Amino acid sequence: MASGDFCLPGEGMEILQQVCSKQLPPCNLSEEDLLQNPHFSKLLLSLSKHMDESGLSLSLAKEQDQAWKEVRLHKTTWLRSEILQRVIQELLVDYYVKIQDTNLTSEDKKFHETLEQRLLVTQLTQLLGPSQEREMPPLLGLEKADLLELMPPSEDFVWMRARLPLEVEEQLKKKCFTLLCYHDPNSDSDHETLKAAKVWKLAEILVNEKQQCQDAKSQQKEQMVLLEKKSATYSQVLLRCLTLLHRLLQEHRLKTQSELDRISAQYLEIKCSAMILKLRMEELKILSDTYTAEKVEVHRFIR
């Protein structure tokens, strides 16, 4: 794309780089690319006004937020019923673990047996489903009315239902204390009242810690993007440096090679002369040691 009269100011360049790194992560564009294609940069800036931080359009992001709110609402409703179901099942499991305990009263046994009977009949009734929607014959020929006959007496059920919230509350309190001691082992020796006070603030503490973890992950992601950009820039700078070094080597080596050769020849010539002089000195030293002054005078007289 050819360059036009449009030019990005410094602030616009910073905004555009944030858009490319957050809202448009596939656009791995450098500052040089953006400067060379100003009209494309202008297009990206225009698109950023119609997108949120995640890169979705504003209308689609609004619909997504609404959908997530509904999902969280349904999830919360399901979790409440699921937690209650599991707590009741754990109550029955604990009862069968303690069934050999002689400390269990007749009321405890009556409560758990009534609860178990009511729970089983309700689950089996749900498995049968409405009779008008079944195409196949019912399992074992059972009808809903047959199962309702197995319900505990109404007075036992009313008594059990009145006691059930207290038992569920006690079971949930044990779970909360267990979670608190796992999060803060030092709380294991605290008084029950102090534990309850800490449990009251535990949810807020966990939410804050979760938010801190998410913020740390976001910062790590930003740092990774920045590190990748710096690594790419560093590699490009290294390549340019290597190119410059190669060019300098090629250009200056040819210019200085002749001078280096001349200096090397002079050095070798001087070194050769020094070796010749050293040999001559050794020769004269040998002669002087072999022939004394008297011997030289006798040889001169003989000649």
Side-chain angles (χ1 to χ4, degrees):
M1 185 181 297
S3 301
D5 297 331
F6 174 75
C7 183
L8 283 172
E11 184 178 357
M13 180 61 68
E14 293 180 1
I15 296 175
L16 188 55
Q17 287 180 341
Q18 293 179 359
V19 169
C20 293
S21 61
K22 294 183 178 180
Q23 295 175 269
L24 299 171
C27 297
N28 189 12
L29 300 175
S30 62
E31 183 177 354
E32 184 178 356
D33 297 329
L34 297 174
L35 291 175
Q36 291 179 355
N37 302 278
H39 291 289
F40 181 65
S41 303
K42 183 179 179 181
L43 175 62
L44 292 179
L45 280 176
S46 302
L47 289 176
S48 65
K49 299 177 182 179
H50 302 280
M51 296 186 300
D52 67 346
E53 294 183 354
S54 63
L56 292 175
S57 63
L58 297 179
S59 59
L60 185 59
K62 186 177 180 180
E63 294 177 2
Q64 187 186 51
D65 291 340
Q66 184 63 29
W68 274 116
K69 288 180 181 179
E70 295 179 1
V71 168
R72 284 193 290 267
L73 180 61
H74 290 295
K75 183 179 179 180
T76 302
T77 304
W78 178 84
L79 282 175
R80 287 175 180 173
S81 60
E82 181 68 16
I83 290 173
L84 182 59
Q85 177 78 10
R86 293 193 180 188
V87 168
I88 292 175
Q89 291 177 351
E90 289 177 1
L91 283 174
L92 297 175
V93 171
D94 293 342
Y95 165 69
Y96 282 107
V97 172
K98 301 176 182 178
I99 198 170
Q100 303 297 332
D101 192 351
T102 56
N103 294 328
L104 286 176
T105 62
S106 58
E107 290 186 353
D108 292 336
K109 294 180 180 180
K110 179 181 178 181
F111 168 77
H112 289 91
E113 290 173 358
T114 304
L115 177 61
E116 182 182 19
Q117 186 177 357
R118 177 76 184 193
L119 182 62
L120 289 175
V121 172
T122 303
Q123 291 176 344
L124 292 174
T125 303
Q126 292 175 352
L127 288 176
L128 289 178
S131 58
Q132 61 271 17
E133 296 181 1
R134 291 200 303 263
E135 297 180 358
M136 299 180 63
L139 183 64
L140 301 177
L142 293 174
E143 294 291 343
K144 189 174 182 180
D146 299 328
L147 295 175
L148 293 178
E149 294 178 357
L150 301 176
M151 283 288 190
S154 58
E155 58 273 11
D156 293 345
F157 171 69
V158 172
W159 175 79
M160 181 271 297
R161 187 172 61 179
R163 180 177 171 178
L164 181 60
L166 299 177
E167 296 290 338
V168 171
E169 182 180 354
E170 185 67 23
Q171 190 74 8
L172 289 175
K173 185 174 70 173
K174 292 179 181 178
K175 285 183 170 296
C176 290
F177 287 170
T178 302
L179 179 60
L180 174 65
C181 295
Y182 175 79
H183 181 265
D184 184 12
N186 296 326
S187 301
D188 194 13
S189 58
D190 292 340
H191 190 267
E192 185 173 331
T193 305
L194 182 57
K195 285 184 179 180
K198 289 184 177 181
V199 168
W200 185 260
K201 298 181 180 179
L202 183 60
E204 183 180 355
I205 295 175
L206 293 177
V207 170
N208 293 334
E209 291 182 355
K210 181 180 179 181
Q211 185 62 38
Q212 291 176 1
C213 291
Q214 291 178 349
D215 294 340
K217 288 182 180 179
S218 300
Q219 292 179 1
Q220 183 183 15
K221 186 177 180 181
E222 293 177 0
Q223 293 294 330
M224 289 298 297
V225 173
L226 183 61
L227 179 61
E228 290 177 359
K229 289 183 177 181
K230 289 187 176 181
S231 298
T233 305
Y234 179 69
S235 301
Q236 294 175 359
V237 171
L238 282 180
L239 289 176
R240 287 199 295 267
C241 291
L242 289 175
T243 303
L244 289 174
L245 288 174
H246 186 265
R247 190 177 68 183
L248 290 173
L249 182 63
Q250 293 294 331
E251 292 179 357
H252 295 280
R253 182 181 178 184
L254 296 177
K255 293 180 180 179
T256 58
Q257 188 64 42
S258 58
E259 182 67 18
L260 291 175
D261 293 342
R262 185 182 64 80
I263 294 174
S264 299
Q266 289 180 353
Y267 168 75
L268 292 175
E269 182 180 357
I270 293 172
K271 188 175 182 180
C272 183
S273 300
M275 291 297 296
I276 292 174
L277 290 175
K278 188 174 182 181
L279 290 174
R280 180 59 179 164
M281 287 179 61
E282 292 294 332
E283 180 183 2
L284 293 176
K285 184 178 180 182
I286 293 172
L287 289 175
S288 62
D289 293 339
T290 304
Y291 300 101
T292 60
E294 293 80 4
K295 291 181 180 180
V296 172
E297 185 63 28
V298 170
H299 279 282
R300 182 179 297 114
F301 179 74
I302 293 173
R303 279 201 305 272

